[in-house]
Amino acid sequence: MMADSIMSKAATMEIPINSNGDTGTLPEDDSLEQDLQQVMVSGPNLNETSIVSGGYGGPAGGIIPTSTIKGPAIRFNPEYLDRRRAPASAPGGCVLSPPFLLWSANHNTNSTEEVSRGVAVEKLDSVKKWGINTYKCTKQMFSERFGRGSRTVDLELEAQIDVLRDTKSKYENILSLATALISHFQSMVQTQQALGDTFTDLSQKSPELQDEFGYNAETQKLLCKNGEALLGAINFFVSSVNTLVNKTMEDTLMTIRLYENARLEFDAYRSDLEELSLGPRDAAAMVRIEMAQHDYQVHRDKYERLRSDVTIKLKFLEENKVKVMHKQLLLFHNAISAYFAGNQQQLEQTLIQFNVKLKPPGSDKPSWLEEQ
């Protein structure tokens, strides 16, 4: 065919290269250009042609049949015939082929599958270990409850833990009673405030009883002022005791719960090791004994570490409790005594001594913007 001869002629023409690496100019060949234009305009299908490669290292003969290349038909634009420079090519004429890209995609997919498989195996091992540990601990717990198993006991530490739990329960009762006192006393102060306002209003509307209503109004307002000071002191007392009970003590009790769980695990693996030690001593049994010995040592170290943490926290908690309660009980006593003795000056000095700051009236109510 004419198209085949023209394409072969155009593909095998030499492109001169100068010393700077630029391509030279093809000699003018009007007939060839017209023939090429005619062929390109008519739009031959490259699937029916052959591609001639002039690159170094190409296939033998320089001709690659394109009948095996699958894809849509490609048509050239005649505008590209005006260009006189050869297109840039990779060194050695190397081109990445679709099989290489397919191998790369398959390789990445296999890597992702391997990672996912590794994560799944790791999760499965974790669930398996958790199941074995739960079974051993449950078995140990029932054995202790029904008196068939032994447990590790630290008598001194257990006594301190019992004292702490009893102390926390009593301090929670103090908090409950003090909160109730605040609620009742606040109602009384509000009633005194309303009563003082009523006396003031009546003193202005009853000239014959103006003096009597006046000094009663002043008395109620003074009691209301002292009551707000006492409420400030009691609120400070409740806040400090609440921090001690629900934060400091609770943090220590959390460590104690971890210690008790570690003790149960330690006894469970200790009992398991003792049972294996009483059994046969074949090769498989020795492997299981060695693994049990390793698990026993791990849980023993964990148990001893948490026991040490509990001992240290109990010591610091006792020191902190004495320091905090000494200050708060002194504040509570002085404020109550000064209020019911009617000693306003002593009550104010007590608040200053313990750095108690009173909230301005109405500060607890939300602003109009917050209510929107």
Side-chain angles (χ1 to χ4, degrees), residues 245-291:
V245 173
N246 293 321
K247 291 187 178 180
T248 309
M249 289 185 178
E250 186 61 31
D251 177 72
T252 304
L253 288 174
M254 179 64 70
T255 307
I256 289 174
R257 285 190 283 270
L258 294 176
Y259 157 76
E260 291 174 343
N261 292 335
R263 197 277 310 163
L264 182 64
E265 291 178 352
F266 166 68
D267 285 337
Y269 282 91
R270 176 183 55 80
S271 300
D272 187 47
L273 178 61
E274 291 175 354
E275 292 178 3
L276 290 175
S277 300
L278 297 176
R281 294 301 183 108
D282 55 357
M286 293 302 297
V287 172
R288 290 195 295 270
I289 291 175
E290 184 178 355
M291 295 176 61

Side-chain angles (χ1 to χ4, degrees), residues 2 42 50 61 64 69-70 72 86 99 118 144 209 217 279 327 329 336 343 353 368:
M2 182 181 66
S42 61
S50 300
I64 305 175
I69 301 178
K70 304 299 181 180
E144 294 177 1
L209 297 174
K327 177 181 178 181
L329 290 173
I336 292 288
N343 193 339
Q353 177 185 357
W368 65 273

Side-chain angles (χ1 to χ4, degrees), residues 191-201 216-218 220-221:
T191 303
Q192 290 174 338
Q193 178 70 36
L195 189 59
D197 293 340
T198 304
F199 284 153
T200 301
D201 183 62
N216 274 282
E218 292 177 357
Q220 293 300 320
K221 290 181 179 179

Side-chain angles (χ1 to χ4, degrees), residues 206-218:
S206 303
E208 67 279 4
L209 297 174
Q210 183 176 7
D211 294 337
E212 288 80 359
F213 279 125
Y215 60 69
N216 274 282
E218 292 177 357

Side-chain angles (χ1 to χ4, degrees), residues 74-368:
I74 302 175
R75 298 181 181 274
F76 287 102
N77 190 340
E79 297 178 357
Y80 292 110
L81 294 175
D82 294 334
R83 299 182 181 178
R84 292 293 188 265
R85 295 185 180 272
S89 59
C94 297
V95 180
L96 293 179
S97 59
F100 173 80
L101 299 178
L102 181 60
W103 174 86
S104 178
N106 293 336
H107 178 72
N108 293 336
T109 303
N110 294 335
S111 300
T112 305
E113 292 178 354
E114 290 177 359
V115 172
S116 301
R117 191 180 299 109
V119 173
V121 170
E122 183 179 356
K123 289 183 178 180
L124 183 61
D125 291 341
S126 178
V127 172
K128 180 180 178 181
K129 291 180 180 178
W130 174 83
I132 294 174
N133 184 74
T134 303
Y135 166 75
K136 291 181 181 295
C137 293
T138 304
K139 178 182 177 182
Q140 176 66 23
M141 182 177 62
F142 279 105
S143 298
E144 294 177 1
R145 183 166 298 180
F146 291 106
R148 293 180 300 194
S150 61
R151 65 187 298 265
T152 303
V153 179
D154 189 331
L155 296 178
E156 183 179 359
L157 187 59
E158 294 290 339
Q160 294 179 4
I161 292 174
D162 291 339
V163 170
L164 172 61
R165 285 178 171 148
D166 184 64
T167 301
K168 185 175 183 291
S169 177
K170 292 179 179 178
Y171 276 39
E172 287 174 344
N173 189 34
I174 290 177
L175 277 176
S176 178
L177 294 174
T179 303
L181 176 62
I182 290 175
S183 178
H184 297 320
F185 198 78
Q186 191 169 14
S187 298
M188 187 185 72
V189 170
Q190 292 175 353
T191 303
Q192 290 174 338
Q193 178 70 36
L195 189 59
D197 293 340
T198 304
F199 284 153
T200 301
D201 183 62
L202 289 174
S203 67
Q204 297 175 357
K205 296 180 179 180
S206 303
E208 67 279 4
L209 297 174
Q210 183 176 7
D211 294 337
E212 288 80 359
F213 279 125
Y215 60 69
N216 274 282
E218 292 177 357
T219 301
Q220 293 300 320
K221 290 181 179 179
L222 180 61
L223 289 174
C224 181
K225 181 180 179 181
N226 293 339
E228 290 177 350
L230 179 60
L231 280 174
I234 299 176
N235 277 320
F236 188 80
F237 170 82
V238 169
S239 176
S240 300
V241 176
N242 180 66
T243 302
L244 176 65
V245 173
N246 293 321
K247 291 187 178 180
T248 309
M249 289 185 178
E250 186 61 31
D251 177 72
T252 304
L253 288 174
M254 179 64 70
T255 307
I256 289 174
R257 285 190 283 270
L258 294 176
Y259 157 76
E260 291 174 343
N261 292 335
R263 197 277 310 163
L264 182 64
E265 291 178 352
F266 166 68
D267 285 337
Y269 282 91
R270 176 183 55 80
S271 300
D272 187 47
L273 178 61
E274 291 175 354
E275 292 178 3
L276 290 175
S277 300
L278 297 176
R281 294 301 183 108
D282 55 357
M286 293 302 297
V287 172
R288 290 195 295 270
I289 291 175
E290 184 178 355
M291 295 176 61
Q293 181 70 32
H294 175 267
D295 293 338
Y296 164 79
Q297 188 63 39
V298 169
H299 287 86
R300 179 182 179 182
D301 294 339
K302 179 181 178 181
Y303 164 73
E304 291 180 350
R305 184 181 70 255
L306 287 172
R307 182 177 61 179
S308 176
D309 292 344
V310 169
T311 303
I312 293 173
K313 284 195 173 186
L314 285 174
K315 178 181 179 181
F316 283 109
L317 175 62
E318 184 65 23
E319 296 176 356
N320 188 33
K321 182 192 71 174
V322 172
K323 181 180 178 181
V324 170
M325 292 307 298
H326 174 76
K327 177 181 178 181
Q328 297 305 317
L329 290 173
L330 186 60
L331 165 66
F332 190 84
H333 173 267
N334 292 346
I336 292 288
S337 300
Y339 174 82
F340 286 101
N343 193 339
Q344 181 182 2
Q345 183 178 2
Q346 182 181 355
L347 180 58
E348 293 176 353
Q349 290 178 352
T350 300
L351 298 181
I352 295 174
Q353 177 185 357
F354 292 95
N355 196 24
V356 179
K357 296 180 180 180
L358 298 179
K359 296 180 180 180
S363 60
D364 294 335
K365 297 180 180 180
S367 64
W368 65 273

Side-chain angles (χ1 to χ4, degrees), residues 20-33:
N20 295 327
D22 298 328
T23 57
T25 304
L26 288 172
E28 296 295 335
D29 191 349
D30 297 336
S31 61
L32 175 61
E33 182 174 346

